[in-house]
PDB file of all heavy atoms in Angstrom:
ATOM      1  N   GLY A  16     127.789  93.190 111.602  1.00 96.00           N
ATOM      2  CA  GLY A  16     128.503  91.949 111.376  1.00 96.00           C
ATOM      3  C   GLY A  16     128.459  91.483 109.932  1.00 96.00           C
ATOM      4  O   GLY A  16     129.005  90.433 109.591  1.00 96.00           O
ATOM      5  N   THR A  17     127.803  92.257 109.092  1.00 97.00           N
ATOM      6  CA  THR A  17     127.659  91.927 107.679  1.00 97.00           C
ATOM      7  C   THR A  17     127.274  93.190 106.925  1.00 97.00           C
ATOM      8  O   THR A  17     126.950  94.210 107.536  1.00 97.00           O
ATOM      9  CB  THR A  17     126.561  90.849 107.488  1.00 97.00           C
ATOM     10  OG1 THR A  17     126.529  90.446 106.118  1.00 97.00           O
ATOM     11  CG2 THR A  17     125.193  91.381 107.889  1.00 97.00           C
ATOM     12  N   LEU A  18     127.309  93.121 105.602  1.00 97.00           N
ATOM     13  CA  LEU A  18     126.843  94.261 104.814  1.00 97.00           C
ATOM     14  C   LEU A  18     125.328  94.384 104.942  1.00 97.00           C
ATOM     15  O   LEU A  18     124.609  93.388 104.991  1.00 97.00           O
ATOM     16  CB  LEU A  18     127.225  94.067 103.344  1.00 97.00           C
ATOM     17  CG  LEU A  18     128.725  94.092 103.012  1.00 97.00           C
ATOM     18  CD1 LEU A  18     128.938  93.785 101.538  1.00 97.00           C
ATOM     19  CD2 LEU A  18     129.339  95.428 103.382  1.00 97.00           C
ATOM     20  N   LYS A  19     124.862  95.603 104.989  1.00 97.00           N
ATOM     21  CA  LYS A  19     123.422  95.852 105.067  1.00 97.00           C
ATOM     22  C   LYS A  19     122.748  95.296 103.826  1.00 97.00           C
ATOM     23  O   LYS A  19     123.190  95.519 102.697  1.00 97.00           O
ATOM     24  CB  LYS A  19     123.182  97.352 105.194  1.00 97.00           C
ATOM     25  CG  LYS A  19     121.712  97.752 105.318  1.00 97.00           C
ATOM     26  CD  LYS A  19     121.623  99.271 105.398  1.00 97.00           C
ATOM     27  CE  LYS A  19     120.184  99.732 105.393  1.00 97.00           C
ATOM     28  NZ  LYS A  19     119.462  99.311 106.599  1.00 97.00           N
ATOM     29  N   ASN A  20     121.664  94.545 104.034  1.00 98.00           N
ATOM     30  CA  ASN A  20     120.947  93.966 102.901  1.00 98.00           C
ATOM     31  C   ASN A  20     119.471  93.893 103.265  1.00 98.00           C
ATOM     32  O   ASN A  20     119.023  92.975 103.944  1.00 98.00           O
ATOM     33  CB  ASN A  20     121.494  92.572 102.577  1.00 98.00           C
ATOM     34  CG  ASN A  20     120.963  92.020 101.266  1.00 98.00           C
ATOM     35  OD1 ASN A  20     119.774  92.097 100.985  1.00 98.00           O
ATOM     36  ND2 ASN A  20     121.849  91.439 100.456  1.00 98.00           N
ATOM     37  N   THR A  21     118.728  94.876 102.824  1.00 98.00           N
ATOM     38  CA  THR A  21     117.315  94.979 103.190  1.00 98.00           C
ATOM     39  C   THR A  21     116.493  93.831 102.629  1.00 98.00           C
ATOM     40  O   THR A  21     115.563  93.338 103.281  1.00 98.00           O
ATOM     41  CB  THR A  21     116.744  96.317 102.694  1.00 98.00           C
ATOM     42  OG1 THR A  21     117.529  97.391 103.213  1.00 98.00           O
ATOM     43  CG2 THR A  21     115.301  96.490 103.164  1.00 98.00           C
ATOM     44  N   GLN A  22     116.836  93.390 101.421  1.00 98.00           N
ATOM     45  CA  GLN A  22     116.083  92.290 100.820  1.00 98.00           C
ATOM     46  C   GLN A  22     116.243  91.002 101.630  1.00 98.00           C
ATOM     47  O   GLN A  22     115.258  90.283 101.865  1.00 98.00           O
ATOM     48  CB  GLN A  22     116.544  92.060  99.372  1.00 98.00           C
ATOM     49  CG  GLN A  22     116.130  93.168  98.413  1.00 98.00           C
ATOM     50  CD  GLN A  22     117.156  94.300  98.341  1.00 98.00           C
ATOM     51  OE1 GLN A  22     118.003  94.442  99.223  1.00 98.00           O
ATOM     52  NE2 GLN A  22     117.079  95.096  97.279  1.00 98.00           N
ATOM     53  N   ARG A  23     117.469  90.706 102.055  1.00 98.00           N
ATOM     54  CA  ARG A  23     117.676  89.511 102.879  1.00 98.00           C
ATOM     55  C   ARG A  23     117.011  89.660 104.240  1.00 98.00           C
ATOM     56  O   ARG A  23     116.456  88.695 104.774  1.00 98.00           O
ATOM     57  CB  ARG A  23     119.171  89.234 103.051  1.00 98.00           C
ATOM     58  CG  ARG A  23     119.832  88.640 101.829  1.00 98.00           C
ATOM     59  CD  ARG A  23     121.253  88.201 102.129  1.00 98.00           C
ATOM     60  NE  ARG A  23     121.897  87.685 100.931  1.00 98.00           N
ATOM     61  CZ  ARG A  23     123.139  87.230 100.901  1.00 98.00           C
ATOM     62  NH1 ARG A  23     123.869  87.229 102.010  1.00 98.00           N
ATOM     63  NH2 ARG A  23     123.659  86.772  99.778  1.00 98.00           N
ATOM     64  N   ALA A  24     117.090  90.864 104.786  1.00 98.00           N
ATOM     65  CA  ALA A  24     116.417  91.104 106.064  1.00 98.00           C
ATOM     66  C   ALA A  24     114.933  90.810 105.938  1.00 98.00           C
ATOM     67  O   ALA A  24     114.346  90.103 106.776  1.00 98.00           O
ATOM     68  CB  ALA A  24     116.638  92.549 106.505  1.00 98.00           C
ATOM     69  N   TYR A  25     114.330  91.312 104.895  1.00 98.00           N
ATOM     70  CA  TYR A  25     112.898  91.093 104.668  1.00 98.00           C
ATOM     71  C   TYR A  25     112.605  89.598 104.531  1.00 98.00           C
ATOM     72  O   TYR A  25     111.660  89.071 105.141  1.00 98.00           O
ATOM     73  CB  TYR A  25     112.469  91.832 103.407  1.00 98.00           C
ATOM     74  CG  TYR A  25     110.985  91.754 103.100  1.00 98.00           C
ATOM     75  CD1 TYR A  25     110.116  92.759 103.511  1.00 98.00           C
ATOM     76  CD2 TYR A  25     110.452  90.681 102.390  1.00 98.00           C
ATOM     77  CE1 TYR A  25     108.752  92.696 103.224  1.00 98.00           C
ATOM     78  CE2 TYR A  25     109.101  90.607 102.104  1.00 98.00           C
ATOM     79  CZ  TYR A  25     108.255  91.616 102.527  1.00 98.00           C
ATOM     80  OH  TYR A  25     106.911  91.535 102.244  1.00 98.00           O
ATOM     81  N   ALA A  26     113.426  88.906 103.757  1.00 98.00           N
ATOM     82  CA  ALA A  26     113.194  87.479 103.521  1.00 98.00           C
ATOM     83  C   ALA A  26     113.279  86.678 104.813  1.00 98.00           C
ATOM     84  O   ALA A  26     112.461  85.782 105.060  1.00 98.00           O
ATOM     85  CB  ALA A  26     114.196  86.951 102.499  1.00 98.00           C
ATOM     86  N   TRP A  27     114.263  87.001 105.665  1.00 98.00           N
ATOM     87  CA  TRP A  27     114.386  86.273 106.938  1.00 98.00           C
ATOM     88  C   TRP A  27     113.255  86.653 107.891  1.00 98.00           C
ATOM     89  O   TRP A  27     112.762  85.796 108.638  1.00 98.00           O
ATOM     90  CB  TRP A  27     115.747  86.515 107.581  1.00 98.00           C
ATOM     91  CG  TRP A  27     116.856  85.735 106.955  1.00 98.00           C
ATOM     92  CD1 TRP A  27     118.008  86.218 106.398  1.00 98.00           C
ATOM     93  CD2 TRP A  27     116.944  84.306 106.833  1.00 98.00           C
ATOM     94  NE1 TRP A  27     118.799  85.194 105.932  1.00 98.00           N
ATOM     95  CE2 TRP A  27     118.170  84.007 106.194  1.00 98.00           C
ATOM     96  CE3 TRP A  27     116.108  83.253 107.196  1.00 98.00           C
ATOM     97  CZ2 TRP A  27     118.568  82.693 105.906  1.00 98.00           C
ATOM     98  CZ3 TRP A  27     116.505  81.945 106.915  1.00 98.00           C
ATOM     99  CH2 TRP A  27     117.721  81.680 106.281  1.00 98.00           C
ATOM    100  N   PHE A  28     112.830  87.907 107.878  1.00 98.00           N
ATOM    101  CA  PHE A  28     111.660  88.286 108.685  1.00 98.00           C
ATOM    102  C   PHE A  28     110.436  87.476 108.257  1.00 98.00           C
ATOM    103  O   PHE A  28     109.656  87.019 109.095  1.00 98.00           O
ATOM    104  CB  PHE A  28     111.357  89.777 108.538  1.00 98.00           C
ATOM    105  CG  PHE A  28     112.161  90.688 109.415  1.00 98.00           C
ATOM    106  CD1 PHE A  28     112.714  91.860 108.902  1.00 98.00           C
ATOM    107  CD2 PHE A  28     112.337  90.416 110.769  1.00 98.00           C
ATOM    108  CE1 PHE A  28     113.445  92.723 109.713  1.00 98.00           C
ATOM    109  CE2 PHE A  28     113.067  91.272 111.591  1.00 98.00           C
ATOM    110  CZ  PHE A  28     113.629  92.423 111.057  1.00 98.00           C
ATOM    111  N   VAL A  29     110.270  87.300 106.962  1.00 98.00           N
ATOM    112  CA  VAL A  29     109.132  86.535 106.452  1.00 98.00           C
ATOM    113  C   VAL A  29     109.184  85.097 106.960  1.00 98.00           C
ATOM    114  O   VAL A  29     108.158  84.524 107.369  1.00 98.00           O
ATOM    115  CB  VAL A  29     109.093  86.566 104.905  1.00 98.00           C
ATOM    116  CG1 VAL A  29     108.144  85.499 104.358  1.00 98.00           C
ATOM    117  CG2 VAL A  29     108.669  87.946 104.409  1.00 98.00           C
ATOM    118  N   CYS A  30     110.369  84.497 106.952  1.00 98.00           N
ATOM    119  CA  CYS A  30     110.516  83.114 107.442  1.00 98.00           C
ATOM    120  C   CYS A  30     110.142  83.021 108.919  1.00 98.00           C
ATOM    121  O   CYS A  30     109.409  82.107 109.336  1.00 98.00           O
ATOM    122  CB  CYS A  30     111.943  82.635 107.238  1.00 98.00           C
ATOM    123  SG  CYS A  30     112.408  82.372 105.507  1.00 98.00           S
ATOM    124  N   ALA A  31     110.663  83.955 109.722  1.00 98.00           N
ATOM    125  CA  ALA A  31     110.349  83.942 111.154  1.00 98.00           C
ATOM    126  C   ALA A  31     108.871  84.227 111.393  1.00 98.00           C
ATOM    127  O   ALA A  31     108.236  83.613 112.262  1.00 98.00           O
ATOM    128  CB  ALA A  31     111.213  84.966 111.891  1.00 98.00           C
ATOM    129  N   ALA A  32     108.338  85.146 110.616  1.00 98.00           N
ATOM    130  CA  ALA A  32     106.918  85.488 110.748  1.00 98.00           C
ATOM    131  C   ALA A  32     106.033  84.290 110.427  1.00 98.00           C
ATOM    132  O   ALA A  32     105.010  84.060 111.079  1.00 98.00           O
ATOM    133  CB  ALA A  32     106.576  86.662 109.828  1.00 98.00           C
ATOM    134  N   ALA A  33     106.424  83.527 109.420  1.00 97.00           N
ATOM    135  CA  ALA A  33     105.648  82.350 109.023  1.00 97.00           C
ATOM    136  C   ALA A  33     105.619  81.298 110.125  1.00 97.00           C
ATOM    137  O   ALA A  33     104.728  80.454 110.167  1.00 97.00           O
ATOM    138  CB  ALA A  33     106.230  81.743 107.748  1.00 97.00           C
ATOM    139  N   GLN A  34     106.603  81.385 111.042  1.00 97.00           N
ATOM    140  CA  GLN A  34     106.670  80.439 112.154  1.00 97.00           C
ATOM    141  C   GLN A  34     106.121  81.036 113.446  1.00 97.00           C
ATOM    142  O   GLN A  34     106.310  80.470 114.521  1.00 97.00           O
ATOM    143  CB  GLN A  34     108.108  79.950 112.346  1.00 97.00           C
ATOM    144  CG  GLN A  34     108.656  79.203 111.145  1.00 97.00           C
ATOM    145  CD  GLN A  34     109.897  78.414 111.490  1.00 97.00           C
ATOM    146  OE1 GLN A  34     109.845  77.383 112.136  1.00 97.00           O
ATOM    147  NE2 GLN A  34     111.048  78.930 111.048  1.00 97.00           N
ATOM    148  N   GLY A  35     105.456  82.175 113.329  1.00 96.00           N
ATOM    149  CA  GLY A  35     104.729  82.720 114.466  1.00 96.00           C
ATOM    150  C   GLY A  35     105.466  83.704 115.340  1.00 96.00           C
ATOM    151  O   GLY A  35     104.992  84.034 116.429  1.00 96.00           O
ATOM    152  N   VAL A  36     106.609  84.214 114.903  1.00 97.00           N
ATOM    153  CA  VAL A  36     107.343  85.200 115.704  1.00 97.00           C
ATOM    154  C   VAL A  36     106.675  86.565 115.509  1.00 97.00           C
ATOM    155  O   VAL A  36     106.742  87.156 114.424  1.00 97.00           O
ATOM    156  CB  VAL A  36     108.829  85.257 115.304  1.00 97.00           C
ATOM    157  CG1 VAL A  36     109.563  86.308 116.133  1.00 97.00           C
ATOM    158  CG2 VAL A  36     109.482  83.886 115.509  1.00 97.00           C
ATOM    159  N   GLY A  37     106.043  87.058 116.559  1.00 97.00           N
ATOM    160  CA  GLY A  37     105.253  88.283 116.459  1.00 97.00           C
ATOM    161  C   GLY A  37     106.041  89.496 116.023  1.00 97.00           C
ATOM    162  O   GLY A  37     105.562  90.304 115.211  1.00 97.00           O
ATOM    163  N   GLU A  38     107.255  89.656 116.556  1.00 97.00           N
ATOM    164  CA  GLU A  38     108.083  90.806 116.184  1.00 97.00           C
ATOM    165  C   GLU A  38     108.400  90.786 114.689  1.00 97.00           C
ATOM    166  O   GLU A  38     108.438  91.824 114.030  1.00 97.00           O
ATOM    167  CB  GLU A  38     109.382  90.818 116.993  1.00 97.00           C
ATOM    168  CG  GLU A  38     109.201  91.131 118.468  1.00 97.00           C
ATOM    169  CD  GLU A  38     108.901  89.883 119.289  1.00 97.00           C
ATOM    170  OE1 GLU A  38     108.552  88.843 118.689  1.00 97.00           O
ATOM    171  OE2 GLU A  38     109.012  89.954 120.521  1.00 97.00           O
ATOM    172  N   ALA A  39     108.629  89.594 114.155  1.00 97.00           N
ATOM    173  CA  ALA A  39     108.913  89.469 112.729  1.00 97.00           C
ATOM    174  C   ALA A  39     107.686  89.826 111.897  1.00 97.00           C
ATOM    175  O   ALA A  39     107.800  90.466 110.846  1.00 97.00           O
ATOM    176  CB  ALA A  39     109.371  88.046 112.420  1.00 97.00           C
TER     177      ALA A  39
END
């Protein structure tokens, strides 16, 4: 649904991880 962007993926994983999402 968008262009692949590993840096943005990482940044959003970090945000979710900071809020306790285990998979992130």
Side-chain angles (χ1 to χ4, degrees):
T17 186
L18 293 176
K19 181 182 175 66
N20 190 315
T21 304
Q22 290 89 342
R23 284 188 182 180
Y25 183 95
W27 283 123
F28 277 136
V29 166
C30 291
Q34 298 196 74
V36 179
E38 290 87 345

